[in-house]
């Protein structure tokens, strides 16, 4: 088991926000993440949320901008916020915001030169999932996942493939159908190659259509701003709505007039997301 | 009157957060600030808070990190967050974090080469004060001021010299006695010259000791973390406590175990500060 190292630690709403780093065996590089632990975590194992960020983000964006910790503290829930890709001078990259560093798409790469480092799917669902439970007093039996944009894509796809590991899911402005999104097609063609059959497991709407027992899932919450510049080209929430309708998945998509794609939108509705997960995780 | 220009505008908690820029006649450069306007401001003039940031900050730190807007929205209060100094290639600077750009100390410089641009006292209390009221539906009769560290120094000193303009004050980890603080002495010696008599008006504790009718002031709220690395060398809250005691100023200083100097500390208590100002501003 790789060790984690504290970068900095700050008291926040009576709990702690820490930035941590560790060597990732899965990504073959040093990775960073933040963790909020509510005060109650000193006494007993606490429910936990993994939050996945969007394109260009690091572990810091959510941590400083989302305003989540007052609500997580109130509910007694921990939040782990990882980086969005492998990092470091030895990690290959391209000079664009939507591929390479900052754009891991929560996939496991199979193609050179990406496959050595770009394994964010396994990193999130296995390495980080276990590492944080080993190092913090978390209760992985009460683990939910949520995210924003590319991270909303990550949350929905990871949830649908790992419903034993993650018990609840929600998303802000997620990429709902990666195979119909220019960002997703470009990233997947490079990370997992030209055969589109290998892309299917990274498309939230396609995965949902294959979910044969969706009726047992708790409701999924999605918030979407109507002034979001990426709504109609890249996010396509109606694709996910249709998929949920088809398989009987309970879904609450809320469209919000005037809100854009950024963290001022996210902070406006973060309380509802923490409360949404609390219904399942604290049950 | 100089015009303001929108840099970006974002819906947030049903109101708006905007970044703005304008030519400052007082500082002889372009200045930036952020403004949160609650939804109610479309209908009537709203109470307003000016928030002053600390060393190295711009208008952005508070805006993205403080988690203030949910509470400001709930109370129907606007918040203006200016930059901490003049900016631009033509503005003189020194290569240090605690003087020059990012460190205006909310003073009016009298010494060359600083006096042309470094007039943050007049900028806050006159130019920005009037500019925002001219451009937004604010009620300057219900205007409070607060800040952090150097900005807490700014809030306390500005309040004590302008109790007709600002009706309420609070601070996070303020520099309470600039003349006993290395940062303050260095900045004031350069901005206003070697004669310490000219520094007295920029020391919160000395100003408080001269307040002959402190009993009419509302209570002042100060929050201070006990793990704050600057507490005993630079902030000196006991100086302000003694001054308030001497003149009968109601003061609530809260010392918080485990909290440091950063925005995770600020966001933990920001709700109390908004509520503190609301008592006076919404009365």
């Amino acid at each position: 088991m790789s060790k984690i190292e504290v970068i900095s630690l700050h008291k926040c709403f009576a709990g702690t926000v820490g930035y941590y780093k560790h060597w990732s065996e899965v990504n073959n590089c040093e990775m960073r993440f933040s963790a909020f632990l509510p005060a109650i975590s000193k006494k007993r194992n606490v429910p936990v949320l993994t939050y996945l960020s969007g394109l260009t983000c690091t572990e810091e964006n959510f941590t400083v901008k989302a305003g989540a910790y007052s609500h997580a503290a109130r509910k007694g829930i921990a939040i782990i916020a990882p980086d969005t890709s492998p990092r470091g001078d030895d990690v290959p990259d391209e000079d664009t915001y939507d591929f390479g560093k900052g754009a891991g798409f929560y996939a496991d790469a199979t193609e050179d030169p990406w496959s050595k480092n770009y394994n964010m799917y396994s990193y999130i669902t296995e390495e980080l999932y276990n590492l944080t439970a080993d190092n913090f007093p978390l209760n992985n039996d009460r683990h939910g996942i949520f995210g924003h944009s590319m991270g909303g894509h990550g949350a929905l796809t990871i949830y649908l493939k790992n419903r034993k590991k993650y018990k609840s899911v929600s998303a802000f402005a997620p990429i709902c159908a990666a195979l119909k999104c220019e960002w997703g097609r470009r990233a997947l063609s490079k990370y997992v190659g030209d055969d589109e059959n290998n892309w299917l497991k990274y498309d939230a709407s396609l995965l949902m259509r294959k979910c044969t027992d969706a009726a047992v899932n708790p409701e999924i919450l999605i918030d979407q701003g109507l002034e979001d510049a990426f709504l109609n080209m890249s996010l396509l929430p109606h694709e996910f709505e249709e998929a949920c309708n088809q398989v009987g998945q309970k879904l609450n998509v809320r469209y919000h007039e005037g809100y854009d794609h950024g963290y001022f939108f996210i902070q406006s509705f973060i309380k509802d997301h923490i409360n949404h997960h609390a219904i399942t995780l604290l049950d």
Side-chain angles (χ1 to χ4, degrees), chain A:
Chain A
M1 189 190 88
S2 59
K3 295 247 175 181
I4 68 169
E5 202 177 311
V6 177
I7 299 167
S8 70
L9 204 58
H10 314 275
K11 194 166 179 180
C12 186
F13 291 104
T16 56
V17 174
Y19 288 104
Y20 303 88
K21 62 182 178 181
H22 69 102
W23 181 260
S24 166
E25 301 292 337
V26 167
N27 287 343
N28 283 293
C29 67
E30 187 177 277
M31 294 293 295
R32 295 182 176 219
F33 66 91
S34 81
F36 171 78
L37 298 173
I40 200 170
S41 65
K42 289 170 188 164
K43 292 172 208 143
R44 61 170 180 83
N45 289 352
V46 288
V48 53
L49 283 169
T50 293
Y51 177 89
L52 303 181
S53 277
L55 287 169
T56 78
C57 289
T58 70
E59 71 285 1
E60 199 184 358
N61 300 66
F62 173 85
T63 306
V64 300
K65 292 181 171 180
Y69 301 137
S70 65
H71 310 298
R74 180 172 42 83
K75 291 291 188 184
I77 295 175
I79 305 181
I80 309 293
D83 201 349
T84 53
S85 76
R87 300 282 177 180
D89 293 344
D90 296 336
V91 172
D93 194 14
E94 284 191 2
D95 188 19
T96 171
Y97 77 99
D98 62 352
F99 182 75
K101 289 181 187 172
F105 262 88
Y106 306 102
D108 281 349
T110 56
E111 305 301 296
D112 281 340
W114 315 107
S115 60
K116 183 184 174 191
N117 305 106
Y118 285 81
N119 297 302
M120 288 299 291
Y121 177 77
S122 293
Y123 174 70
I124 299 296
T125 60
E126 293 175 19
E127 189 174 29
L128 185 66
Y129 187 91
N130 294 321
L131 183 74
T132 48
D134 287 342
N135 283 277
F136 305 118
L138 306 179
N139 182 352
N140 260 351
D141 291 333
R142 296 175 182 272
H143 197 139
I145 191 164
F146 66 147
H148 169 232
S149 195
M150 177 184 74
H153 148 82
L156 293 171
T157 55
I158 283 173
Y159 169 77
L160 288 168
K161 288 179 282 190
N162 299 275
R163 288 181 293 160
K164 287 194 176 152
K165 285 190 167 178
Y166 303 96
K167 303 296 163 49
S168 57
V169 66
S170 73
F172 297 94
I175 296 171
C176 286
L179 267 66
K180 294 189 177 179
C181 159
E182 203 58 38
W183 291 330
R185 295 187 64 80
R186 193 153 150 222
L188 292 171
S189 69
K190 294 190 178 197
Y191 289 137
V192 299
D194 289 335
D195 184 351
E196 289 197 23
N197 287 316
N198 296 328
W199 304 5
L200 306 178
K201 62 185 173 187
Y202 296 119
D203 183 297
S205 296
L206 293 179
L207 286 169
M208 181 52 82
R209 285 185 195 278
K210 286 190 202 152
C211 188
T212 54
D213 59 347
V216 306
N217 298 337
E219 183 172 89
I220 295 172
L221 173 63
I222 290 178
D223 278 310
Q224 175 62 58
L226 287 170
E227 292 300 312
D228 186 324
F230 307 112
L231 174 54
N232 296 318
M233 280 292 284
S234 305
L235 306 177
L236 311 178
H238 64 279
E239 294 278 346
F240 195 69
E241 287 185 90
E242 285 165 22
C244 288
N245 276 339
Q246 182 189 310
V247 297
Q249 169 66 52
K250 290 190 290 289
L251 173 67
N252 183 12
V253 182
R254 309 189 303 181
Y255 291 96
H256 301 284
E257 209 173 318
Y259 286 90
D260 62 23
H261 195 64
Y263 271 88
F264 293 116
F265 156 64
I266 291 174
Q267 68 175 254
S268 298
F269 301 102
I270 191 79
K271 180 182 180 182
D272 295 344
H273 285 248
I274 304 292
N275 289 347
H276 164 82
H277 288 276
I279 290 169
T280 300
L281 301 183
L282 305 184
D283 187 28

